[in-house]
Each structure stands twice: as structure tokens, then as C-alpha cells.
Amino acid sequence: MSTLFAIGTDPRFGSPTVAAAPVTQKDCCPRRPSRRQPRLPHRTRRTCGAHGPRPTQAGPPASSFQTTREKDTVKARSKIFATSVMGTSANALNSHSVRKGASAVAFGLAVLATQGLGTPPAAAASIPPGSVTVVAKSSPVNTLATKVPFRADCPAGQRVLGGGAFTVGGVHAVITEMQPIHTASGDSFEVSAAADQFGISVGWNFQVFAFCASVPATLGVEIVSQTNAPTSGATDQTSAQCSTGKQLIGAGGKIANGNGQVDLGIATNASGSFANRSAAIAKEDADGFAGNYTVTGYSVCARPTAFGDFQQVKTQSNTTAASQKRSLSCPSGLRLTGLAGNTAAPGTHLQEIAPLTTTAPNIASFGAQSSVPQNGPWTMETTVFCAK
């Protein structure tokens, strides 16, 4: 078929006509023999084709010099070519040409979109990379049974996203408050702690951790709170729901008037990667509490720039020992913005819920202890809030 294309004359396929070297009778054949030489018999007479054409210089197009026989040959072959192409194969070729043309158009549009219009830029991170930092503060060391609330303040212009705490006072030191605070003068994270009814005879204190960052106003960062009525029940909890379209990036809670005998736990409403509500959980210790206490829950909520920008990682661990400890990290590329955790059995409570680093934090440490012997395994639930 390639030979037919080479000599074909149909211009739709763009195949050039084969150009033959200019041929003339003078160049092709030798001089006729003189009359004095005998003529060869007709059946053995040599023709110019037997000698082949002599080399010639380039001249006008070959079509001007085609002999009658060459024209007849080309015409016959062109007719055969036209019959084979325009007959039974015409539809196949036309279909192939359409498909090829469509592919060329699609490719051209793709090139135009890439080069002419440009690919759309990737969505910016909800919280700029590297902007999350941790402000850590330590409360004064003393023997007071109930500690004065102590705060870690965010730098001017930054928002508090969440926080954590770490008591340094032994098994009878109980965390009673972890509260994110937003005011016109600035943001902070506040922690309170108290000794249970057994007391602490030596000086003790606690640490406060505030997760802070400069965030775009489009995230709409807000702190949602919910407070229950006073109760004397063995347990109580209250939840704070994020606004529509927003997700949790941090959480907190507070127990008022629990005298160290009601510990604080924090949990979320989802077991998967996304949550939009947190709960503050109050739990009396092993021998109960006779007074009334109040529980308040706090949810730090924000609107992600893109799906997956805000995630939570949650896990549980069990032990029969007097204490347990574990670490939990954010997925690759995400940074810590807040923490949550709780224990289930009466007489058990969190001691540590804190980041391991203060710069670009992505891993947290959790610790809990039991002030009384337990009859079986007891559970600690831990959660990290992560963002990019």
C-alpha cells in the first residue's frame, strides 16, 4: 500500500507524486547505426530501454516528460489505487481519520489548557505550614490543694487552636480545667488542677500548653461552649457543637466546685477522621463526691480550605497496671492543633496530655494513673487534632 501512496494522485492524503528523472529519446538511445553498417533483425534490435537512461541534471517536473507508456502506467495504477481506497476500504479510512482527528483535537485542547490557560493552582493550606507553635508555661510550685488557674498566652495577633496540661504532683493531682480563651485583648489557654481528698504533702505544680497560629479570617475560628446545670451525679457530660461547615481543631472542658474529686475528660463525637462536636466528661472518683459540681465543654471550630485539611486521630489503650502512657502522632504533612483524652474507670484520671515539641508539633504524649487498685483492665482514650 505504501508504494501505491507514493504514486497516487489523490491530494486528500497528502502523498507526494514520485518524481522521475527527466528522460528524453536523445539521452536514452544511442545514435542510429550508419547506412554502411548492417541493420540487426527486427526481433533482436536493441531498444533504448536495454541501455538504461543516462545520468541527467535536474530538470522540469517529470510529469512534463512522461512518455505515453509511462502515463498509461500511472493512470492504470491510479485507477487501481482509487478502486481499493475509495471502494471497500473507504469507510474504514474515513472512520480512522475521524478518530485520529478527534484525538488530535482533544490533545490540542489539553495542550491549550496546560500552556495557554495554565493548570489551576493547588489550594492553599488552611493553616500556613510552620505557623503552629506551642507556648508552654509552668505554674508556681506550692502545697496548695487547689491551684489558681494559670494561662499560657498566644503571641499578639495569633489565635488559640487548642491546648494541653501536665500535672507534676503525683497520683493525687487531678486536672480540672483545660480551657481555650479568646478575648479582644488576645488568646490563651487556661489550666487548673486540684489535689483529691488524700492531698499532696509536698510542693507541686502543673504545666500549660497553648497551640497558637496566625490563621486566615476565612477559617472563621470560633470557640463554642456549653455548660450543664449543677449536679451531684457520678458522671455528667456536656457537648459543644461546631457551626455548619466547620470542624474541630481543638477542644477543652472545665469542672467547677469538684474539689479534686471530680476529674475532667474530653472526647469527640466521631471515631473516624472528622469530628464537629466535643464533649467534656465529668467523673467522680472511686469513693464519690457529696457536693454539686458543674461541667462546661469547649469546642474550637474552623472552616477548612479543602477537604482533609482538618483531621483527628483517635485510639484507645487498656491496662491492668496502676498507670499507662502512650504517644500519638498526626498524619504526614499535618501539625497538631489540639488534644483530647479521658479515662473510663472511677479513680483513674489523666496526668499528661501534652505535645512533645513546641515547634511544628506533630506528636503528643498521654499519661493516666489510678489512685486506687482496679479490679480489671481500665481504658484510656486519646485524640490528637491535626491540620494543614
Side-chain angles (χ1 to χ4, degrees):
M1 183 63 71
S2 60
T3 301
L4 294 177
F5 271 104
I7 66 171
T9 58
D10 192 337
R12 293 174 300 169
F13 300 94
S15 300
T17 303
V18 172
V23 178
T24 65
Q25 183 69 19
K26 180 177 179 181
D27 291 331
C28 176
C29 299
R31 297 174 63 87
R32 291 181 178 273
S34 66
R35 294 183 179 180
R36 289 175 295 181
Q37 294 176 337
R39 296 173 62 88
L40 295 174
H42 178 74
R43 63 178 179 272
T44 61
R45 185 179 302 167
R46 293 177 181 265
T47 62
C48 65
H51 296 284
R54 292 178 181 177
T56 60
Q57 296 180 350
S63 59
S64 302
F65 294 89
Q66 287 178 334
T67 63
T68 302
R69 180 173 296 179
E70 289 171 334
K71 291 181 179 180
D72 292 340
T73 301
V74 170
K75 183 176 181 180
R77 289 181 177 175
S78 298
K79 183 175 181 180
I80 295 172
F81 169 76
T83 302
S84 61
V85 172
M86 304 307 292
T88 56
S89 302
N91 291 335
L93 285 173
N94 289 338
S95 176
H96 173 74
S97 300
V98 170
R99 292 196 304 270
K100 187 174 181 180
S103 299
V105 171
F107 177 78
L109 290 176
V111 171
L112 178 62
T114 302
Q115 297 180 350
L117 301 179
T119 55
S126 293
I127 298 178
S131 67
V132 179
T133 58
V134 176
V135 178
K137 297 288 185 180
S138 294
S139 71
V141 177
N142 54 49
T143 58
L144 293 176
T146 300
K147 297 294 187 182
V148 175
F150 199 76
R151 295 182 180 183
D153 297 322
C154 289
Q158 295 192 8
R159 295 298 307 268
V160 64
L161 309 178
F166 183 18
T167 60
V168 186
V171 69
H172 297 295
V174 178
I175 298 171
T176 58
E177 179 187 14
M178 291 188 290
Q179 180 185 357
I181 297 173
H182 172 63
T183 66
S185 59
D187 285 20
S188 60
F189 197 81
E190 182 176 278
V191 172
S192 297
D196 63 17
Q197 71 270 32
F198 298 103
I200 301 172
S201 59
V202 298
W204 65 285
N205 73 332
F206 58 85
Q207 293 179 312
V208 186
F209 303 93
F211 293 89
C212 307
S214 299
V215 298
T218 54
L219 298 187
V221 176
E222 63 178 352
I223 300 172
V224 181
S225 64
Q226 180 66 43
T227 302
N228 280 0
T231 182
S232 59
T235 62
D236 192 23
Q237 71 176 47
T238 184
S239 62
Q241 175 74 49
C242 291
S243 303
T244 302
K246 295 184 179 182
Q247 294 177 226
L248 281 175
I249 58 173
K254 180 179 180 179
I255 306 294
N257 304 317
N259 294 348
Q261 292 183 258
V262 183
D263 73 87
L264 173 66
I266 304 168
T268 69
N269 67 323
S271 57
S273 299
F274 310 103
N276 59 10
R277 186 172 74 249
S278 71
I281 304 169
K283 178 175 84 274
E284 292 184 353
D285 62 16
D287 59 1
F289 176 60
N292 290 335
Y293 63 88
T294 302
V295 58
T296 302
Y298 304 93
S299 289
V300 184
C301 309
R303 184 183 301 105
T305 300
F307 178 78
D309 278 3
F310 299 152
Q311 299 181 34
Q312 71 166 12
V313 179
K314 179 187 290 189
T315 188
Q316 290 185 344
S317 57
N318 297 279
T319 186
T320 57
S323 63
Q324 57 177 305
K325 186 179 179 70
R326 71 165 300 140
S327 61
L328 193 59
S329 60
C330 287
S332 177
L334 278 70
R335 294 290 179 261
L336 283 173
T337 57
L339 308 169
N342 65 88
T343 62
T348 64
H349 56 269
L350 291 172
Q351 177 192 21
E352 178 185 16
I353 174 171
L356 287 183
T357 61
T358 57
T359 303
N362 68 344
I363 185 169
S365 179
F366 297 84
Q369 52 196 352
S370 177
S371 59
V372 296
Q374 297 293 320
N375 295 325
W378 56 282
T379 301
M380 177 177 69
E381 182 181 81
T382 55
T383 303
V384 293
F385 301 105
C386 310
K388 64 177 179 179

